[in-house]
Amino acid sequence: MIVTYNWLREFVDCDLPVTELSDLLTMLGLEVERVETVGEGMDDVVVAQVLEKNQHPNADKLSLCKVNNGSEILSIVCGAQNFKAGDKVALAQIGAVLPGDFKIKRSKIRGEESCGMLCSEKELGLADESAGIIILPADLQLGEPVFSALGLKDTIFEIGLTPNRADCLSVIGIAREIAAKLGKKVKYPALEIAEGGAAITDVASVTIEAPELCPRYTARYVSGCKIGPSPQWMVNRLKAVGQRSINNVVDVTNYVLMEYGHPLHAFDFKFLEQEQIVVKQAADGDTFETLDGQTRILLSSDLTICDGKRAVALAGIMGGKNSEIADDTTDILIESAYFNPSAIRRTSKRLGLHTESSHRFERGTDINILPIALNRAASLIAELAGGTIARGIIDAYPQVVPERQIAVRVDRINHVLGIELTDAEVKGLFERLELKIITSGQGVMEVAVPSYRVDLEREIDLIEEVARLHGFEKIPATMPQARIFSEATPSYLSTAKKIKDLLVSQGLSEVINYSFFAPDAYDKILLAADDYRRNTIRLLNPLSDEQSIMRTTLLPGLLETAARNASFRLLNQRIFEMRRIYLPKHADELPEEPPFVAGLLTGLRGSEGWNQAKDEVDFYDVKGILENIFAALGISGYSFEVREPEPFYHPGKSSFIVCNGGVVGSLGELHPTIQETYGLEKPLYHFELNFEKLVGCRKEGMTVFAPSRFPDTYRDIALLVGDDVTAEAVVGCARKVKAPEISRVEIFDLYKGGNIPAGYKSIAIRVRYSSKEKTLTDEEVTPIHQQVIQMLQQKLNASIR
């Protein structure tokens, strides 16, 4: 919100220095973000009169002038032609510094001395463009600084407001705050209406078909207006607060908007079909051209202002091109209405159309200010554009909004703020804020809240008002008292931390990605059209389409991170993320949010160096990382099983992890198409674990056995099996022999080619036999070993080599 000091002082007696007023506003919760003094350092630009204007002897396009600044006659060379002898002009004297750090010096122009410069509005920073120098009013005193003489010397405050303080989106609203703090009264504008002619009800009518979206609509009719430019004082004032002058009627609506904080709109009455206003919702697919020349497609949730046949305004946001004020307008209908904030906010955001009007309606305006703002606008229009104000106003108000009342306890105020105020002091503070005390007694006050204070809803809100007005600096500083409890870390969190620590200890770095991404992310990871992960939650108000759906897998985020790192030539990467995914349920239920752990590895296995191997990571690096996690968590009985692979894995190079009969995760090399899509040079290896299922497999304790004191015995077996037989099947089959002496089975060799038949492979396993009671003999080990061989032959159709 932008206000000027001079405008504020029209409504409140205030002579505080600028810095003190700035501090006062900030301490009231109205943060002053910028202070600009208009005309500061420009006192050397003064009112002067042109006595003579002659042709420059050495230049066809220049004039040589004699100019009186009130104290001396100066010779000035000027290139403008829009003035004559006798005109009063703005003279920048020698030593003046104009905007842009342009310093005026005595100079010679084409051989003639020039002791200053005649200024245009652009050169003084008063306009973006100007056709010539400023011609000043004839009654101004010579030698007086121009900014002071024109009333332009002022201070501009730019104030940052929180969304709940809609009442301060006006000059009067901020003046009201200053008056309350200084204990002064607000001087509201005098509303003098000179009515005449017919009654407005004989001229126009208003019907509200959507009272839930428009609880109140008021209107006035002014006939016989003459559209033209606004007076300079209004143009200057509007410009100071960031408004562009259009014409005297539209400028009045903008002026009242900034003054009272309530948006108004003026219709050219001759364009209103059937001389009526109908407030109703649009139909889906309706089109409407707004004042900015854009055609908008409307929905049934959009509120429109219509005449007898069509829409003429988008309620609370912008008027229509079909009823705008033009140069030939003579009769106008002025609208002052209240619209539902959420309805305006919804339409404004959907259309991407944010205006001064919608900004205020979205935050909540004062439903009781409507006739006041309407009368103020009508009187100003009659003053500036002439015309006759029809008798009476139309006030469609189907259901009167009751006055809000809040009970507040003085003891509660003192307890929350840590101060000691009496009932009378609290009452005085409320009255300075124009809060009416309905009843008071036994330390409780019933307070009536003005309709413009939409932010005051509860007792704590009134307590905050006491703090603001009494002064935050008067609240004693005390140290907070708190009891500190130490609780054991939940098992869930300790397990999560342990997994993260294990991954970091194995060289992986944690990344954190956004919880949402673009819909095409699923195409990039090759998910089928019917894949359950494509059923996503779409954000209602996404920042962009690239962040419009909630993730159902962590893989796209990891790939984006890896691609971004690779663009900086970080080719060797080990990253992981431990976050939630979002799986939708029924429409009226919250989604499931299971946590997952996922990782991505690519590049070299170790660091680069002249003495380091150039081996790259592979499937078994990932498998080893996961096995270390399972071992640290005490998870046993898990297996790596080959099933129908996930679509994003390389065919034949992935595996599912099964524990307690259910899948807890997967791992494998990503499909080459994905590697190409993300522009990564080396193969990518991925794993993902369902954290909740992983925790379900975890054992709370760990059983530790003392090692045997007796030596182990090892027997090797070389098998010839089909290519379709997995290593897991071989080890699992050998372990099916129920003999306590078998302590371990492991594969130590794999061979294909040479004299191995096509479609077969040679696998060598080593079986370790041990006992805690004695040293096993060959006679004890051999029968057990034969059982292992027979089991492999029977179950796997294996041949012993």
Side-chain angles (χ1 to χ4, degrees):
M1 178 63 194
I2 299 176
V3 296
T4 71
Y5 203 172
N6 289 344
W7 204 350
L8 284 171
R9 286 196 285 199
E10 288 187 9
F11 304 116
V12 59
D13 292 327
C14 177
D15 55 1
L16 293 176
V18 170
T19 54
E20 290 186 24
L21 180 58
S22 178
D23 292 341
L24 180 145
L25 289 170
T26 299
M27 290 305 294
L28 282 170
L30 313 179
E31 183 181 1
V32 176
E33 297 179 341
R34 179 177 67 91
V35 176
E36 177 186 346
T37 301
V38 179
E40 184 178 24
M42 301 284 284
D43 287 348
D44 286 331
V45 180
V46 299
V47 178
Q49 186 173 32
V50 179
L51 301 179
E52 296 178 12
K53 179 185 178 184
N54 302 308
Q55 177 66 46
H56 192 292
N58 303 317
D60 293 340
K61 295 183 179 181
L62 298 180
S63 299
L64 183 61
C65 306
K66 297 296 183 182
V67 178
N68 180 9
N69 67 359
S71 58
E72 59 180 324
I73 308 299
L74 301 173
S75 177
I76 305 291
V77 176
C78 182
Q81 300 298 326
N82 67 317
F83 67 99
K84 62 183 183 303
D87 285 342
K88 289 190 175 179
V89 294
L91 170 65
Q93 302 179 108
I94 294 172
V97 180
L98 301 183
D101 198 28
F102 179 65
K103 188 172 183 179
I104 304 300
K105 301 176 181 178
R106 186 187 302 273
S107 60
K108 278 195 174 185
I109 301 176
R110 293 291 184 95
E112 296 294 333
E113 186 177 54
S114 183
C115 301
M117 185 175 80
L118 304 187
C119 300
S120 66
E121 289 182 318
K122 180 180 180 181
E123 289 161 340
L124 296 180
L126 298 176
D128 294 331
E129 295 295 336
S130 53
I133 65 170
I134 303 174
I135 307 301
L136 301 176
D139 59 347
L140 297 186
Q141 184 178 349
L142 295 180
E144 185 178 4
V146 168
F147 280 85
S148 299
L150 295 177
L152 296 176
K153 203 160 190 179
D154 202 349
T155 301
I156 296 173
F157 296 93
E158 184 173 346
I159 300 173
L161 298 174
T162 53
N164 64 318
R165 291 308 305 272
D167 60 299
C168 289
L169 286 168
S170 66
V171 178
I172 287 178
I174 295 174
R176 207 159 29 212
E177 292 286 297
I178 297 171
K181 184 65 175 177
L182 299 179
K184 298 180 181 292
K185 294 292 184 181
V186 178
K187 299 179 292 184
Y188 292 102
L191 299 177
E192 298 178 358
I193 300 292
E195 299 178 335
I200 188 173
T201 51
D202 296 334
V203 179
S205 65
V206 171
T207 303
I208 300 177
E209 294 186 2
E212 69 284 357
L213 302 182
C214 177
R216 190 178 189 184
Y217 191 102
T218 65
R220 265 197 180 276
Y221 175 72
V222 184
S223 60
C225 297
K226 181 176 178 57
I227 305 302
S230 295
Q232 195 61 43
W233 67 266
M234 179 171 280
V235 173
N236 293 340
R237 183 153 285 181
L238 288 174
K239 182 180 178 181
V241 295
Q243 295 287 314
R244 179 174 60 91
S245 177
I246 299 173
N247 59 54
N248 47 7
V249 170
V250 176
D251 286 357
V252 164
T253 62
N254 289 332
Y255 185 86
V256 176
L257 165 71
M258 303 307 297
E259 186 176 62
Y260 277 97
H262 190 80
L264 305 173
H265 186 67
F267 298 99
D268 188 327
F269 192 70
K270 69 174 177 286
F271 293 124
L272 297 184
E273 300 285 346
Q274 300 176 8
E275 300 177 342
Q276 63 174 312
I277 289 290
V278 181
V279 185
K280 63 181 182 180
Q281 291 174 264
D284 286 335
D286 282 355
T287 59
F288 179 66
E289 185 180 4
T290 46
L291 283 171
D292 58 0
Q294 299 293 316
T295 299
R296 316 283 177 177
I297 299 176
L298 306 181
L299 301 179
S300 59
S301 58
D302 300 328
L303 187 66
T304 57
I305 310 299
C306 304
D307 58 16
K309 295 183 179 180
R310 59 190 179 159
V312 291
L314 195 54
I317 301 176
M318 187 176 285
K321 197 77 173 173
N322 55 11
S323 62
E324 70 174 324
I325 302 298
D327 293 343
D328 61 347
T329 300
T330 57
D331 303 334
I332 64 173
L333 188 76
I334 313 169
E335 166 195 284
S336 178
Y338 179 91
F339 300 112
N340 182 283
S342 60
I344 302 303
R345 187 182 309 117
R346 181 169 52 248
T347 300
S348 174
K349 186 168 185 61
R350 184 180 66 78
L351 296 177
L353 186 58
H354 185 81
T355 62
E356 291 283 355
S357 177
S358 68
H359 185 76
R360 287 159 175 80
F361 280 123
E362 287 175 17
R363 286 154 176 76
T365 55
D366 179 6
I367 198 168
N368 291 328
I369 200 71
L370 270 58
I372 298 174
L374 185 63
N375 288 336
R376 174 66 166 161
S379 63
L380 283 173
I381 288 174
E383 176 186 340
L384 302 183
T388 302
I389 303 173
R391 289 182 290 108
I393 69 171
I394 295 176
D395 190 355
Y397 199 1
Q399 185 67 43
V400 176
V401 177
E403 181 180 61
R404 279 178 296 132
Q405 296 183 4
I406 303 173
V408 61
R409 297 159 290 174
V410 176
D411 288 346
R412 181 64 177 164
I413 293 174
N414 291 329
H415 175 73
V416 172
L417 302 181
I419 57 180
E420 292 293 335
L421 294 178
T422 65
D423 291 16
E425 289 173 322
V426 172
K427 182 179 179 182
L429 292 174
F430 285 153
E431 289 175 344
R432 284 160 58 182
L433 288 165
E434 299 186 10
L435 305 179
K436 184 179 177 182
I437 308 300
I438 304 300
T439 60
S440 177
Q442 298 181 345
V444 180
M445 296 180 186
E446 194 73 23
V447 180
V449 179
S451 52
Y452 59 79
R453 288 303 302 269
V454 294
D455 59 313
L456 302 183
E457 299 176 344
R458 303 169 297 162
E459 181 184 37
I460 194 64
D461 296 329
L462 293 180
I463 294 174
E464 182 181 353
E465 292 302 291
V466 172
R468 285 195 320 116
L469 206 55
H470 180 64
F472 293 115
E473 71 281 0
K474 295 180 182 178
I475 298 175
T478 57
M479 292 297 294
Q481 294 181 358
R483 297 179 64 186
I484 301 176
F485 297 91
S486 177
E487 297 182 358
T489 303
S491 175
Y492 178 94
L493 295 178
S494 62
T495 303
K497 184 178 185 304
K498 189 169 187 175
I499 291 175
K500 288 183 179 182
D501 290 344
L502 285 166
L503 290 170
V504 171
S505 68
Q506 297 179 88
L508 279 76
S509 299
E510 184 179 9
V511 299
I512 298 177
N513 291 303
Y514 287 115
S515 299
F516 27 80
F517 44 65
D520 65 355
Y522 297 118
D523 297 329
K524 293 181 179 180
I525 61 171
L526 310 180
L527 292 188
D530 59 349
D531 194 291
Y532 74 95
R533 284 162 293 206
R534 284 186 179 268
N535 182 22
T536 59
I537 302 167
R538 180 169 290 273
L539 300 182
L540 292 177
N541 298 305
L543 297 175
S544 67
D545 190 58
E546 297 299 313
Q547 298 179 337
S548 60
I549 60 172
M550 302 297 290
R551 65 185 174 199
T552 55
T553 171
L554 299 178
L555 178 55
L558 290 172
L559 286 167
E560 292 288 349
T561 300
R564 189 162 51 251
N565 289 343
S567 68
F568 291 96
R569 303 306 299 165
L570 181 60
L571 303 180
N572 305 321
Q573 301 184 57
R574 292 183 171 220
I575 57 176
F576 77 93
E577 184 171 14
M578 187 172 188
R579 305 278 280 174
R580 294 183 181 275
I581 62 172
Y582 303 90
L583 304 176
K585 299 168 72 174
H586 297 293
D588 57 346
E589 294 185 53
L590 292 174
E592 293 183 22
E593 301 181 20
F596 269 68
V597 186
L600 197 66
L601 287 77
T602 184
L604 298 178
R605 178 173 292 132
S607 58
E608 293 187 79
W610 62 271
N611 61 345
Q612 300 292 329
K614 299 295 184 181
D615 298 335
E616 295 186 354
V617 295
D618 57 22
F619 177 92
Y620 297 101
D621 289 288
V622 180
K623 183 171 179 284
I625 289 171
L626 299 183
E627 287 175 335
N628 289 339
I629 291 176
F630 296 148
L633 297 181
I635 297 174
S636 59
Y638 64 90
S639 62
F640 295 89
E641 298 185 8
V642 177
R643 302 184 179 184
E644 184 66 27
E646 292 277 25
F648 43 77
Y649 284 131
H650 194 303
K653 295 186 179 182
S654 66
S655 172
F656 286 94
I657 307 163
V658 179
C659 185
N660 292 345
V663 175
V664 298
S666 66
L667 73 156
E669 181 182 339
L670 291 180
H671 200 285
T673 301
I674 296 177
Q675 178 186 336
E676 181 180 351
T677 298
Y678 284 91
L680 295 163
E681 298 179 4
K682 299 182 179 180
L684 304 162
Y685 296 90
H686 171 62
F687 70 85
E688 66 175 7
L689 298 169
N690 186 315
F691 179 74
E692 289 179 343
K693 292 182 178 180
L694 193 67
V695 171
C697 296
R698 181 186 182 185
K699 295 180 180 179
E700 290 299 327
M702 182 179 293
T703 304
V704 179
F705 298 98
S708 173
R709 296 183 296 108
F710 303 98
D712 298 334
T713 297
Y714 295 88
R715 297 285 177 92
D716 295 342
I717 306 174
L719 306 171
L720 189 66
V721 297
D723 278 341
D724 59 338
V725 177
T726 65
E728 185 73 22
V730 173
V731 174
C733 183
R735 285 175 173 164
K736 287 182 179 179
V737 176
K738 304 300 182 183
E741 290 81 4
I742 299 177
S743 62
R744 186 170 183 177
V745 179
E746 59 185 358
I747 295 175
F748 68 88
D749 188 41
L750 171 67
Y751 177 71
K752 294 179 70 175
N755 58 350
I756 303 298
Y760 286 87
K761 59 187 173 185
S762 174
I763 294 179
I765 65 172
R766 178 166 294 156
V767 184
R768 186 175 77 174
Y769 299 93
S770 64
S771 172
K772 294 184 179 181
E773 301 175 353
K774 60 180 179 179
T775 300
L776 296 176
T777 64
D778 286 346
E779 290 75 11
E780 294 171 319
V781 172
T782 299
I784 302 173
H785 192 65
Q786 287 301 319
Q787 292 181 43
V788 173
I789 294 173
Q790 292 173 9
M791 183 68 73
L792 293 169
Q793 291 173 328
Q794 294 171 6
K795 298 295 183 181
L796 302 180
N797 195 27
S799 300
I800 306 300
R801 294 185 64 206

